[in-house]
Amino acid sequence: MKSLIKKYSHIWVLGYALIYGPWFCYLEKNTADNYAIVHTAVDDLIPFEEWFIIPYLLWFVYIAAAGCYFFFYDKEGFYRYSIFLIIGMTTALLIYTFFPNATDLRIVVDPQKDVLCRLIGLIQKTDPSTNVCPSIHVYNSIGTHIALSKNEVIREKRGLCRASAVLALLICASTVFLKQHSVVDILGALLMAMVVYPLVYRENTAAVTKRAAV
């Protein structure tokens, strides 16, 4: 039992969900009415494509699968991956808290048309169009691909790395083709990832390495 506890001692990181979950849900239900609308002319040029709901929903599988892999097979990678996500998600929540924002891009779909529209309708019903910039959906996709590409085992499997890159790109694209986000939200997530990346993945990150060795 001791060896098992030591081996998976990094499970404490998952406790962040107890902070993120309630905070995010509170903001979703209590965003002020004076939020800023995120909408650009470029958004109007992007067509609505219902099939993008597939990669949009695959985001949940992508994040969960990567998290499980790192948790069980790469402790240091798990810490780096978690730190990257936590910094970004916390930053996003702070932005949502002090600078409420939303989008007015959503298109009404007929859930009776087909299964894709039914899924889109479900997403629109459960996920309000508030708190969109920067996009956590996009930020976490970028972070997941970075983490996977940094793993020595996965890096050698070029096909898997390419598949990860394609999926991450499709997920990011899905946010604008489904009118869930503006291109500004994507750019905000990309900028945030560019700032956080060197903090987490610079060579010989002493704090991460030390924590992973525990």
Side-chain angles (χ1 to χ4, degrees), residues 10 24 31 37 44 57 61 63 74 120 163 176 182 187 189 199:
H10 48 297
F24 182 82
T31 297
I37 294 295
D44 296 328
L57 291 177
V61 179
I63 303 299
D74 184 356
I120 293 172
V176 291
S182 163
L187 293 176
L199 300 177

Side-chain angles (χ1 to χ4, degrees), residues 8 10 67-78 151 153:
Y8 298 115
H10 48 297
C68 288
Y69 173 80
F70 286 114
F71 182 83
F72 290 108
Y73 300 107
D74 184 356
K75 194 173 183 178
E76 180 179 344
F78 176 79
N151 179 265
V153 175

Side-chain angles (χ1 to χ4, degrees), residues 3-133:
S3 62
L4 190 64
I5 293 175
K6 183 177 181 179
K7 184 177 181 180
Y8 298 115
S9 59
H10 48 297
I11 194 172
W12 69 269
V13 176
L14 301 181
Y16 175 72
L18 299 178
I19 298 175
Y20 176 82
W23 189 356
F24 182 82
C25 290
Y26 173 81
L27 292 175
E28 289 288 85
K29 295 180 180 179
N30 298 279
T31 297
D33 294 332
N34 60 338
Y35 49 72
I37 294 295
V38 185
H39 188 157
T40 71
V42 177
D43 297 316
D44 296 328
L45 299 176
I46 301 174
F48 175 80
E49 297 291 346
E50 60 188 44
W51 70 267
F52 268 101
I53 188 62
I54 298 174
Y56 188 87
L57 291 177
L58 282 177
W59 177 82
F60 296 96
V61 179
Y62 187 46
I63 303 299
C68 288
Y69 173 80
F70 286 114
F71 182 83
F72 290 108
Y73 300 107
D74 184 356
K75 194 173 183 178
E76 180 179 344
F78 176 79
Y79 274 116
R80 290 182 187 270
Y81 179 48
S82 299
I83 291 172
F84 188 95
L85 297 191
I86 289 173
I87 291 176
M89 290 190 292
T90 302
T91 301
L93 290 180
L94 287 171
I95 293 174
Y96 301 160
T97 300
F98 296 105
F99 303 99
N101 56 77
T103 181
D104 58 357
L105 299 168
R106 286 190 175 182
I107 292 178
V108 178
V109 297
D110 179 7
Q112 301 303 319
K113 179 183 177 182
D114 53 42
V115 66
L116 297 179
C117 287
R118 193 172 299 119
L119 290 172
I120 293 172
L122 180 61
I123 289 296
Q124 292 181 342
K125 184 178 180 180
T126 57
D127 183 19
S129 58
T130 53
N131 304 319
V132 294
C133 186

Side-chain angles (χ1 to χ4, degrees), residues 174-186:
S174 73
T175 63
V176 291
F177 280 99
L178 290 177
K179 302 300 180 179
Q180 291 288 105
H181 286 277
S182 163
V183 291
V184 176
D185 306 338
I186 290 183

Side-chain angles (χ1 to χ4, degrees), residues 106-206:
R106 286 190 175 182
I107 292 178
V108 178
V109 297
D110 179 7
Q112 301 303 319
K113 179 183 177 182
D114 53 42
V115 66
L116 297 179
C117 287
R118 193 172 299 119
L119 290 172
I120 293 172
L122 180 61
I123 289 296
Q124 292 181 342
K125 184 178 180 180
T126 57
D127 183 19
S129 58
T130 53
N131 304 319
V132 294
C133 186
S135 169
I136 293 177
H137 218 80
V138 171
Y139 178 84
N140 284 1
S141 297
I142 294 173
T144 299
H145 176 63
I146 289 174
L148 291 172
S149 65
K150 289 291 184 179
N151 179 265
E152 292 183 1
V153 175
I154 295 178
R155 189 169 55 213
E156 294 179 356
K157 302 181 184 298
R158 294 186 178 181
L160 190 57
C161 280
R162 289 171 183 167
S164 172
V166 170
L167 180 56
L169 287 172
L170 286 174
I171 290 172
C172 293
S174 73
T175 63
V176 291
F177 280 99
L178 290 177
K179 302 300 180 179
Q180 291 288 105
H181 286 277
S182 163
V183 291
V184 176
D185 306 338
I186 290 183
L187 293 176
L190 180 60
L191 177 61
M192 194 161 61
M194 291 173 63
V195 172
V196 177
Y197 174 80
L199 300 177
V200 177
Y201 287 100
R202 65 180 183 271
E203 293 299 321
N204 301 319
T205 307

